[in-house]
Amino acid sequence: MDFNLMVEISPLLIKAAWITIDISVRSLFFGFFVACGLVFLQSFRFAPIRWFARGYISVIRGTPYFVQLLLVFYGGPSIGFRLDPITCGVFVGAFNIGAYMSEAIRGSIESVDSGQAEAARSLGFGRAQTLVSIVLPQAAALMIRSVGVLAIVVVKNSSLVSIISVVELTYQAQRLIGSTYKPLEIFTLTALIYIIIVYAVMGIIELAYRRAMRYTTL
Amino acid sequence: MSTENQTDTPDTPMVEIRDVYKRFGDLEVLKGINLTVNRGKIISIIGPSGSGKSTLLRSVNHLEVIEKGSIFLEGVQVNRPDLKGLAFERHINHIRQNMGMVFQHFNLFPHLSTIDNVTLAPRKLKGMEAKAAREWGMELLNRVGLAEKADVFPNWLSGGQKQRVAIARALAMKPKVMLFDEATSALDPELVEEVNLVMRSLAEEHMTMLIVTHEMGFARDVSDWAMFMDGGVVVEECAPQKLFSNPDQERTRNFLKKHLQG
Ligand SMILES: Nc1ncnc2c1ncn2[C@@H]1O[C@H](COP(=O)(O)OP(=O)(O)O)[C@@H](O)[C@H]1O
Ligand SMILES: [Mg+2]
């Protein structure tokens, strides 16, 4: 292993890692709104709206993220939908993870004991107030974990946007290999940076979870 | 008929249950139940598990939607098939503010401190100010003997303490009637008495109560009227002294034989 080379190129990779983080954070941020939208649509009484949301989630879950990305980036322009690579990465990332996240959010809301809502209703709370004051605060704690798992998926998925020439971590690694011909060193370093990002995310999730669960005797 | 005109006039109906039917799918759970609970009276409902006691109690505050019949709180109809959507939502929320319910598994809000559990409803629903709410909450916690636990989360409390907080929470809205659904069934035997004591204190203050219970001795002591349910019908109802020692019905006797020796 050429350690000198690894030290030498690490600033370039770290710089590219910020693009990875940037794309991931923005995907998650917008993905959260997509997810909330999907949860909301699924609460409609009018069935076709629910079917639309379910259908969308099924399509996203049933197809590879890679294909979704290629379809939007290369297929989009032929119907006039043109996005620059980074925006496309964020856009597809958000709409992809939003589908999974909506399931995670729904799951955490549903896993709050139904006795909680009943107790609130028995006191005279309305539906919305029960959701906001009683159910969501408890669901939030569970959500942190399940959404946290998805945050890690987003970080790892982001390496796929290298295919549409976004100079994030993976693409930068490939470029450096093109000029140095040292794939072992460079990919090892790249993997190491991903691990650091992923474990940092996991650490943040765990802290947030513990904080949200302060009220339990765990 | 009495013509006295005191505030605790014994014969004013607080809760009236008239010919109530309820089914879950093919299962008929309540088959024409009638019951009147007068102001300040305590009614105990006993019966084997699955006989529909919880369903009846939950129908009173509309946690279960009945199919047929009607329920009244102080003459105001609780179930209103004529009201839809938001109009019904407003109606029922208002009704429920006047009924306290205590659940077998407490259902305290685990993310709120004990005092917040008690004061959430008066703050959010009656707009009570934080300071006044805290005083009111402390008064109620004091009453159930848990003032020192005000700022603790429910998960740190014993089952008996949780249930006492749950009673305080239900009392916080100054309900006209309290519904107890096996309030002591989930408790370790040594914790039952502390909850019973709180319920007895409510009885002394002439709170109107509808109590579903497995505690025959307690039911006999506190209640003014006792009702034995089985298979979704009222098998027998009378004064508790009679029901527990000398019931008319064979089914009641069999049930009591099993449960009094427990
Ligand atoms: N939500 C429900 N869905 C279907 N069946 C129910 C539901 N709640 C209660 N039941 C059934 O109704 C019957 C009466 O239940 P319940 O009122 O809880 O009885 P009890 O409180 O006397 O033990 C039981 O057979 C029970 O399984
Ligand atoms: Mg029951």
Side-chain angles (χ1 to χ4, degrees):
Chain A
M1 281 247 227
D2 185 345
F3 289 103
N4 283 339
L5 176 80
M6 286 169 85
V7 172
E8 204 177 302
I9 58 158
S10 59
L12 287 172
L13 284 177
I14 289 169
K15 204 167 152 231
W18 283 108
I19 306 290
T20 291
I21 293 171
D22 173 56
I23 292 176
S24 304
V25 168
R26 284 199 282 157
S27 296
L28 277 169
F29 180 78
F30 294 117
F32 181 72
F33 290 98
V34 172
C36 291
L38 288 168
V39 171
F40 181 63
L41 291 183
Q42 284 176 85
S43 74
F44 268 68
R45 214 171 261 191
F46 185 58
I49 293 181
R50 291 204 309 271
W51 296 335
F52 167 76
R54 292 307 311 167
Y56 172 79
I57 292 167
S58 305
V59 168
I60 294 291
R61 296 214 297 187
T63 53
Y65 174 61
F66 196 43
V67 172
Q68 294 162 15
L69 193 65
L70 295 175
L71 178 67
V72 173
F73 190 72
Y74 293 110
S78 46
I79 53 165
F81 192 70
R82 211 175 297 274
L83 295 173
D84 68 80
I86 288 195
T87 309
C88 185
V90 170
F91 178 86
V92 179
F95 275 86
N96 173 276
I97 210 65
Y100 292 92
M101 216 188 283
S102 73
E103 296 287 89
I105 291 174
R106 238 164 48 99
S108 22
I109 290 174
E110 277 164 15
S111 64
V112 173
D113 174 21
S114 63
Q116 289 292 309
E118 282 187 350
R121 298 307 303 271
S122 80
L123 288 164
F125 283 98
R127 266 177 228 284
Q129 231 169 354
T130 299
L131 189 68
V132 170
S133 300
I134 302 302
V135 178
L136 284 182
Q138 293 179 58
L142 305 167
M143 241 180 257
I144 288 169
R145 274 230 166 121
S146 46
V147 169
V149 172
L150 295 175
I152 291 162
V153 171
V154 166
V155 170
K156 292 195 278 193
N157 270 354
S158 76
S159 77
L160 293 172
V161 301
S162 58
I163 200 69
I164 57 175
S165 327
V166 176
V167 191
E168 44 63 74
L169 184 51
T170 304
Y171 189 79
Q172 180 67 297
Q174 286 171 316
R175 283 217 305 209
L176 289 169
I177 289 160
S179 54
T180 61
Y181 307 104
K182 298 275 189 187
L184 179 66
E185 284 81 354
I186 291 174
F187 278 136
T188 303
L189 199 54
T190 304
L192 208 63
I193 295 175
Y194 274 116
I195 284 185
I196 291 168
I197 297 173
V198 165
Y199 277 81
V201 171
M202 277 158 70
I204 293 167
I205 302 304
E206 199 50 35
L207 281 179
Y209 178 74
R210 291 226 188 112
R211 206 186 137 69
M213 292 296 279
R214 267 173 319 177
Y215 57 78
T216 67
T217 42
L218 289 178
Chain B
M1 279 264 104
S2 141
T3 52
E4 51 193 339
N5 201 12
Q6 299 161 355
T7 44
D8 58 347
T9 305
D11 292 341
T12 329
M14 180 61 86
V15 176
E16 288 170 272
I17 298 170
R18 286 197 202 147
D19 201 29
V20 162
Y21 285 79
K22 168 71 185 175
R23 57 163 69 235
F24 291 110
D26 288 339
L27 183 69
E28 270 192 277
V29 176
L30 301 177
K31 307 170 188 166
I33 306 282
N34 286 285
L35 175 69
T36 300
V37 188
N38 284 331
R39 184 193 303 272
K41 296 295 176 194
I42 299 170
I43 315 272
S44 289
I45 303 173
I46 60 168
S49 139
S51 56
K53 306 179 297 296
S54 296
T55 305
L56 177 63
L57 209 61
R58 293 159 54 82
S59 299
V60 171
N61 67 357
H62 210 266
L63 285 179
E64 300 293 352
V65 184
I66 59 175
E67 249 103 72
K68 215 180 107 195
S70 39
I71 291 168
F72 297 88
L73 174 69
E74 276 196 318
V76 178
Q77 192 168 348
V78 174
N79 65 316
R80 287 281 299 272
D82 56 314
L83 288 182
K84 299 272 182 273
L86 270 180
F88 181 74
E89 179 85 4
R90 261 196 299 274
H91 159 76
I92 197 65
N93 290 343
H94 182 73
I95 293 266
R96 282 172 177 158
Q97 291 181 22
N98 293 302
M99 296 197 211
M101 187 165 209
V102 175
F103 300 86
Q104 183 175 353
H105 297 288
F106 331 125
N107 300 4
L108 287 178
F109 306 133
H111 61 300
L112 299 178
S113 66
T114 297
I115 184 108
D116 286 341
N117 263 274
V118 175
T119 59
L120 187 74
R123 276 188 289 132
K124 300 260 170 179
L125 300 174
K126 286 186 172 165
M128 199 184 265
E129 305 254 338
K131 190 159 166 288
R134 181 151 183 111
E135 272 166 29
W136 174 227
M138 288 309 293
E139 187 181 327
L140 289 164
L141 285 177
N142 216 1
R143 220 177 127 173
V144 298
L146 288 170
E148 82 280 12
K149 301 287 186 191
D151 297 302
V152 163
F153 285 114
N155 282 330
W156 270 266
L157 302 177
S158 74
Q161 293 173 330
K162 282 182 189 166
Q163 197 58 299
R164 282 144 68 196
V165 173
I167 294 173
R169 175 179 71 178
L171 291 172
M173 292 297 284
K174 299 201 169 103
K176 293 175 173 159
V177 56
M178 288 283 284
L179 312 171
F180 291 87
D181 191 1
E182 303 206 22
T184 55
S185 294
L187 298 178
D188 294 335
E190 73 272 19
L191 301 177
V192 167
E193 201 43 43
E194 61 190 67
V195 173
N196 282 349
L197 270 173
V198 171
M199 291 172 69
R200 272 178 215 274
S201 79
L202 291 177
E204 276 157 24
E205 292 164 25
H206 304 290
M207 172 64 81
T208 311
M209 300 199 258
L210 212 54
I211 302 174
V212 170
T213 183
H214 277 145
E215 302 259 332
M216 304 304 159
F218 178 75
R220 174 199 220 132
D221 277 6
V222 302
S223 37
D224 299 294
W225 194 251
M227 190 168 117
F228 172 65
M229 273 180 78
D230 194 6
V233 297
V234 178
V235 175
E236 182 165 4
E237 53 173 324
C238 54
Q241 292 74 14
K242 177 168 163 52
L243 192 90
F244 290 106
S245 46
N246 185 25
D248 289 330
Q249 302 294 323
E250 184 67 37
R251 276 157 91 184
T252 317
R253 273 198 289 278
N254 287 337
F255 173 78
L256 288 173
K257 219 180 285 170
K258 267 189 239 150
H259 283 263
L260 287 177
Q261 293 151 1

PDB file of all heavy atoms in Angstrom, chain B residues 155-178:
ATOM      1  N   ASN B 155     -43.297   6.084  34.225  1.00  0.00           N
ATOM      2  CA  ASN B 155     -42.625   4.780  34.234  1.00  0.00           C
ATOM      3  C   ASN B 155     -41.814   4.518  35.487  1.00  0.00           C
ATOM      4  O   ASN B 155     -41.352   3.406  35.703  1.00  0.00           O
ATOM      5  CB  ASN B 155     -41.742   4.620  32.997  1.00  0.00           C
ATOM      6  CG  ASN B 155     -42.579   4.270  31.775  1.00  0.00           C
ATOM      7  OD1 ASN B 155     -43.620   3.634  31.894  1.00  0.00           O
ATOM      8  ND2 ASN B 155     -42.135   4.703  30.619  1.00  0.00           N
ATOM      9  N   TRP B 156     -41.615   5.553  36.289  1.00  0.00           N
ATOM     10  CA  TRP B 156     -40.904   5.358  37.541  1.00  0.00           C
ATOM     11  C   TRP B 156     -41.843   5.014  38.707  1.00  0.00           C
ATOM     12  O   TRP B 156     -41.404   4.827  39.816  1.00  0.00           O
ATOM     13  CB  TRP B 156     -40.083   6.607  37.890  1.00  0.00           C
ATOM     14  CG  TRP B 156     -38.700   6.554  37.318  1.00  0.00           C
ATOM     15  CD1 TRP B 156     -37.576   6.098  37.938  1.00  0.00           C
ATOM     16  CD2 TRP B 156     -38.257   6.994  36.027  1.00  0.00           C
ATOM     17  NE1 TRP B 156     -36.486   6.201  37.110  1.00  0.00           N
ATOM     18  CE2 TRP B 156     -36.873   6.745  35.933  1.00  0.00           C
ATOM     19  CE3 TRP B 156     -38.916   7.548  34.920  1.00  0.00           C
ATOM     20  CZ2 TRP B 156     -36.129   7.047  34.796  1.00  0.00           C
ATOM     21  CZ3 TRP B 156     -38.170   7.845  33.793  1.00  0.00           C
ATOM     22  CH2 TRP B 156     -36.792   7.600  33.737  1.00  0.00           C
ATOM     23  N   LEU B 157     -43.142   4.958  38.417  1.00  0.00           N
ATOM     24  CA  LEU B 157     -44.104   4.716  39.487  1.00  0.00           C
ATOM     25  C   LEU B 157     -44.518   3.245  39.536  1.00  0.00           C
ATOM     26  O   LEU B 157     -44.451   2.535  38.532  1.00  0.00           O
ATOM     27  CB  LEU B 157     -45.362   5.571  39.256  1.00  0.00           C
ATOM     28  CG  LEU B 157     -45.168   7.079  39.176  1.00  0.00           C
ATOM     29  CD1 LEU B 157     -46.505   7.752  38.863  1.00  0.00           C
ATOM     30  CD2 LEU B 157     -44.579   7.624  40.461  1.00  0.00           C
ATOM     31  N   SER B 158     -44.965   2.808  40.690  1.00  0.00           N
ATOM     32  CA  SER B 158     -45.531   1.461  40.805  1.00  0.00           C
ATOM     33  C   SER B 158     -46.914   1.454  40.168  1.00  0.00           C
ATOM     34  O   SER B 158     -47.489   2.512  39.907  1.00  0.00           O
ATOM     35  CB  SER B 158     -45.640   1.074  42.275  1.00  0.00           C
ATOM     36  OG  SER B 158     -46.710   1.788  42.867  1.00  0.00           O
ATOM     37  N   GLY B 159     -47.441   0.252  39.928  1.00  0.00           N
ATOM     38  CA  GLY B 159     -48.765   0.149  39.317  1.00  0.00           C
ATOM     39  C   GLY B 159     -49.834   0.874  40.112  1.00  0.00           C
ATOM     40  O   GLY B 159     -50.667   1.590  39.554  1.00  0.00           O
ATOM     41  N   GLY B 160     -49.786   0.728  41.433  1.00  0.00           N
ATOM     42  CA  GLY B 160     -50.782   1.382  42.277  1.00  0.00           C
ATOM     43  C   GLY B 160     -50.680   2.896  42.182  1.00  0.00           C
ATOM     44  O   GLY B 160     -51.687   3.605  42.112  1.00  0.00           O
ATOM     45  N   GLN B 161     -49.438   3.376  42.146  1.00  0.00           N
ATOM     46  CA  GLN B 161     -49.244   4.824  42.016  1.00  0.00           C
ATOM     47  C   GLN B 161     -49.713   5.309  40.663  1.00  0.00           C
ATOM     48  O   GLN B 161     -50.358   6.358  40.548  1.00  0.00           O
ATOM     49  CB  GLN B 161     -47.759   5.161  42.220  1.00  0.00           C
ATOM     50  CG  GLN B 161     -47.289   4.907  43.651  1.00  0.00           C
ATOM     51  CD  GLN B 161     -45.790   5.072  43.803  1.00  0.00           C
ATOM     52  OE1 GLN B 161     -45.020   4.838  42.870  1.00  0.00           O
ATOM     53  NE2 GLN B 161     -45.345   5.474  44.986  1.00  0.00           N
ATOM     54  N   LYS B 162     -49.421   4.530  39.618  1.00  0.00           N
ATOM     55  CA  LYS B 162     -49.879   4.919  38.277  1.00  0.00           C
ATOM     56  C   LYS B 162     -51.396   5.063  38.244  1.00  0.00           C
ATOM     57  O   LYS B 162     -51.928   6.025  37.698  1.00  0.00           O
ATOM     58  CB  LYS B 162     -49.471   3.859  37.245  1.00  0.00           C
ATOM     59  CG  LYS B 162     -48.030   3.925  36.840  1.00  0.00           C
ATOM     60  CD  LYS B 162     -47.738   2.879  35.774  1.00  0.00           C
ATOM     61  CE  LYS B 162     -46.253   2.799  35.530  1.00  0.00           C
ATOM     62  NZ  LYS B 162     -45.846   1.630  34.774  1.00  0.00           N
ATOM     63  N   GLN B 163     -52.071   4.082  38.842  1.00  0.00           N
ATOM     64  CA  GLN B 163     -53.523   4.131  38.779  1.00  0.00           C
ATOM     65  C   GLN B 163     -54.059   5.315  39.581  1.00  0.00           C
ATOM     66  O   GLN B 163     -55.051   5.931  39.201  1.00  0.00           O
ATOM     67  CB  GLN B 163     -54.128   2.797  39.255  1.00  0.00           C
ATOM     68  CG  GLN B 163     -55.564   2.581  38.865  1.00  0.00           C
ATOM     69  CD  GLN B 163     -55.801   2.637  37.360  1.00  0.00           C
ATOM     70  OE1 GLN B 163     -55.557   3.665  36.713  1.00  0.00           O
ATOM     71  NE2 GLN B 163     -56.283   1.548  36.786  1.00  0.00           N
ATOM     72  N   ARG B 164     -53.395   5.654  40.673  1.00  0.00           N
ATOM     73  CA  ARG B 164     -53.850   6.818  41.439  1.00  0.00           C
ATOM     74  C   ARG B 164     -53.656   8.100  40.641  1.00  0.00           C
ATOM     75  O   ARG B 164     -54.506   8.996  40.658  1.00  0.00           O
ATOM     76  CB  ARG B 164     -53.114   6.882  42.770  1.00  0.00           C
ATOM     77  CG  ARG B 164     -53.692   5.891  43.787  1.00  0.00           C
ATOM     78  CD  ARG B 164     -52.620   5.301  44.658  1.00  0.00           C
ATOM     79  NE  ARG B 164     -52.030   6.296  45.556  1.00  0.00           N
ATOM     80  CZ  ARG B 164     -50.873   6.118  46.212  1.00  0.00           C
ATOM     81  NH1 ARG B 164     -50.187   5.011  46.055  1.00  0.00           N
ATOM     82  NH2 ARG B 164     -50.423   7.060  47.005  1.00  0.00           N
ATOM     83  N   VAL B 165     -52.536   8.174  39.908  1.00  0.00           N
ATOM     84  CA  VAL B 165     -52.339   9.335  39.029  1.00  0.00           C
ATOM     85  C   VAL B 165     -53.428   9.360  37.955  1.00  0.00           C
ATOM     86  O   VAL B 165     -53.985  10.422  37.640  1.00  0.00           O
ATOM     87  CB  VAL B 165     -50.944   9.312  38.365  1.00  0.00           C
ATOM     88  CG1 VAL B 165     -50.825  10.425  37.330  1.00  0.00           C
ATOM     89  CG2 VAL B 165     -49.850   9.435  39.404  1.00  0.00           C
ATOM     90  N   ALA B 166     -53.740   8.189  37.418  1.00  0.00           N
ATOM     91  CA  ALA B 166     -54.769   8.129  36.370  1.00  0.00           C
ATOM     92  C   ALA B 166     -56.116   8.622  36.902  1.00  0.00           C
ATOM     93  O   ALA B 166     -56.866   9.284  36.190  1.00  0.00           O
ATOM     94  CB  ALA B 166     -54.893   6.704  35.830  1.00  0.00           C
ATOM     95  N   ILE B 167     -56.393   8.302  38.164  1.00  0.00           N
ATOM     96  CA  ILE B 167     -57.636   8.794  38.763  1.00  0.00           C
ATOM     97  C   ILE B 167     -57.573  10.316  38.904  1.00  0.00           C
ATOM     98  O   ILE B 167     -58.528  11.026  38.555  1.00  0.00           O
ATOM     99  CB  ILE B 167     -57.892   8.119  40.126  1.00  0.00           C
ATOM    100  CG1 ILE B 167     -58.157   6.614  39.918  1.00  0.00           C
ATOM    101  CG2 ILE B 167     -59.084   8.770  40.837  1.00  0.00           C
ATOM    102  CD1 ILE B 167     -58.257   5.810  41.207  1.00  0.00           C
ATOM    103  N   ALA B 168     -56.427  10.814  39.351  1.00  0.00           N
ATOM    104  CA  ALA B 168     -56.269  12.270  39.470  1.00  0.00           C
ATOM    105  C   ALA B 168     -56.430  12.939  38.111  1.00  0.00           C
ATOM    106  O   ALA B 168     -57.068  13.988  37.985  1.00  0.00           O
ATOM    107  CB  ALA B 168     -54.894  12.603  40.068  1.00  0.00           C
ATOM    108  N   ARG B 169     -55.871  12.316  37.083  1.00  0.00           N
ATOM    109  CA  ARG B 169     -55.982  12.873  35.738  1.00  0.00           C
ATOM    110  C   ARG B 169     -57.441  12.948  35.309  1.00  0.00           C
ATOM    111  O   ARG B 169     -57.889  13.948  34.737  1.00  0.00           O
ATOM    112  CB  ARG B 169     -55.192  12.003  34.755  1.00  0.00           C
ATOM    113  CG  ARG B 169     -55.339  12.435  33.311  1.00  0.00           C
ATOM    114  CD  ARG B 169     -54.527  11.576  32.367  1.00  0.00           C
ATOM    115  NE  ARG B 169     -55.075  10.227  32.232  1.00  0.00           N
ATOM    116  CZ  ARG B 169     -54.568   9.300  31.429  1.00  0.00           C
ATOM    117  NH1 ARG B 169     -53.503   9.547  30.703  1.00  0.00           N
ATOM    118  NH2 ARG B 169     -55.134   8.099  31.369  1.00  0.00           N
ATOM    119  N   ALA B 170     -58.189  11.885  35.619  1.00  0.00           N
ATOM    120  CA  ALA B 170     -59.602  11.875  35.232  1.00  0.00           C
ATOM    121  C   ALA B 170     -60.399  12.910  36.027  1.00  0.00           C
ATOM    122  O   ALA B 170     -61.350  13.501  35.515  1.00  0.00           O
ATOM    123  CB  ALA B 170     -60.191  10.482  35.432  1.00  0.00           C
ATOM    124  N   LEU B 171     -59.977  13.138  37.277  1.00  0.00           N
ATOM    125  CA  LEU B 171     -60.702  14.105  38.107  1.00  0.00           C
ATOM    126  C   LEU B 171     -60.412  15.556  37.722  1.00  0.00           C
ATOM    127  O   LEU B 171     -61.165  16.461  38.070  1.00  0.00           O
ATOM    128  CB  LEU B 171     -60.333  13.918  39.586  1.00  0.00           C
ATOM    129  CG  LEU B 171     -60.818  12.630  40.256  1.00  0.00           C
ATOM    130  CD1 LEU B 171     -60.206  12.515  41.644  1.00  0.00           C
ATOM    131  CD2 LEU B 171     -62.341  12.612  40.321  1.00  0.00           C
ATOM    132  N   ALA B 172     -59.308  15.752  36.995  1.00  0.00           N
ATOM    133  CA  ALA B 172     -58.856  17.119  36.720  1.00  0.00           C
ATOM    134  C   ALA B 172     -59.867  17.929  35.931  1.00  0.00           C
ATOM    135  O   ALA B 172     -59.871  19.149  35.991  1.00  0.00           O
ATOM    136  CB  ALA B 172     -57.515  17.083  35.985  1.00  0.00           C
ATOM    137  N   MET B 173     -60.724  17.258  35.174  1.00  0.00           N
ATOM    138  CA  MET B 173     -61.723  17.996  34.400  1.00  0.00           C
ATOM    139  C   MET B 173     -63.023  18.162  35.184  1.00  0.00           C
ATOM    140  O   MET B 173     -64.042  18.541  34.622  1.00  0.00           O
ATOM    141  CB  MET B 173     -61.983  17.272  33.073  1.00  0.00           C
ATOM    142  CG  MET B 173     -60.803  17.308  32.114  1.00  0.00           C
ATOM    143  SD  MET B 173     -60.360  18.963  31.568  1.00  0.00           S
ATOM    144  CE  MET B 173     -61.661  19.279  30.372  1.00  0.00           C
ATOM    145  N   LYS B 174     -62.991  17.857  36.476  1.00  0.00           N
ATOM    146  CA  LYS B 174     -64.186  17.937  37.327  1.00  0.00           C
ATOM    147  C   LYS B 174     -65.371  17.206  36.701  1.00  0.00           C
ATOM    148  O   LYS B 174     -66.432  17.791  36.435  1.00  0.00           O
ATOM    149  CB  LYS B 174     -64.574  19.403  37.564  1.00  0.00           C
ATOM    150  CG  LYS B 174     -63.483  20.199  38.261  1.00  0.00           C
ATOM    151  CD  LYS B 174     -64.079  21.440  38.925  1.00  0.00           C
ATOM    152  CE  LYS B 174     -63.103  22.114  39.841  1.00  0.00           C
ATOM    153  NZ  LYS B 174     -62.488  23.336  39.285  1.00  0.00           N
ATOM    154  N   PRO B 175     -65.190  15.918  36.460  1.00  0.00           N
ATOM    155  CA  PRO B 175     -66.249  15.169  35.773  1.00  0.00           C
ATOM    156  C   PRO B 175     -67.484  14.997  36.646  1.00  0.00           C
ATOM    157  O   PRO B 175     -67.412  15.066  37.871  1.00  0.00           O
ATOM    158  CB  PRO B 175     -65.594  13.817  35.499  1.00  0.00           C
ATOM    159  CG  PRO B 175     -64.581  13.665  36.586  1.00  0.00           C
ATOM    160  CD  PRO B 175     -64.067  15.047  36.846  1.00  0.00           C
ATOM    161  N   LYS B 176     -68.598  14.767  35.990  1.00  0.00           N
ATOM    162  CA  LYS B 176     -69.848  14.523  36.711  1.00  0.00           C
ATOM    163  C   LYS B 176     -70.011  13.060  37.040  1.00  0.00           C
ATOM    164  O   LYS B 176     -70.786  12.692  37.915  1.00  0.00           O
ATOM    165  CB  LYS B 176     -71.023  14.981  35.847  1.00  0.00           C
ATOM    166  CG  LYS B 176     -71.023  16.479  35.670  1.00  0.00           C
ATOM    167  CD  LYS B 176     -72.094  16.926  34.730  1.00  0.00           C
ATOM    168  CE  LYS B 176     -72.134  18.445  34.733  1.00  0.00           C
ATOM    169  NZ  LYS B 176     -72.778  18.954  33.510  1.00  0.00           N
ATOM    170  N   VAL B 177     -69.299  12.230  36.287  1.00  0.00           N
ATOM    171  CA  VAL B 177     -69.373  10.791  36.538  1.00  0.00           C
ATOM    172  C   VAL B 177     -68.006  10.186  36.245  1.00  0.00           C
ATOM    173  O   VAL B 177     -67.267  10.669  35.391  1.00  0.00           O
ATOM    174  CB  VAL B 177     -70.489  10.142  35.669  1.00  0.00           C
ATOM    175  CG1 VAL B 177     -70.283  10.435  34.207  1.00  0.00           C
ATOM    176  CG2 VAL B 177     -70.560   8.644  35.888  1.00  0.00           C
ATOM    177  N   MET B 178     -67.662   9.154  37.022  1.00  0.00           N
ATOM    178  CA  MET B 178     -66.397   8.459  36.801  1.00  0.00           C
ATOM    179  C   MET B 178     -66.679   7.030  36.373  1.00  0.00           C
ATOM    180  O   MET B 178     -67.514   6.340  36.968  1.00  0.00           O
ATOM    181  CB  MET B 178     -65.569   8.448  38.090  1.00  0.00           C
ATOM    182  CG  MET B 178     -64.974   9.798  38.461  1.00  0.00           C
ATOM    183  SD  MET B 178     -63.516  10.224  37.475  1.00  0.00           S
ATOM    184  CE  MET B 178     -62.282   9.172  38.233  1.00  0.00           C
TER     185      MET B 178
END
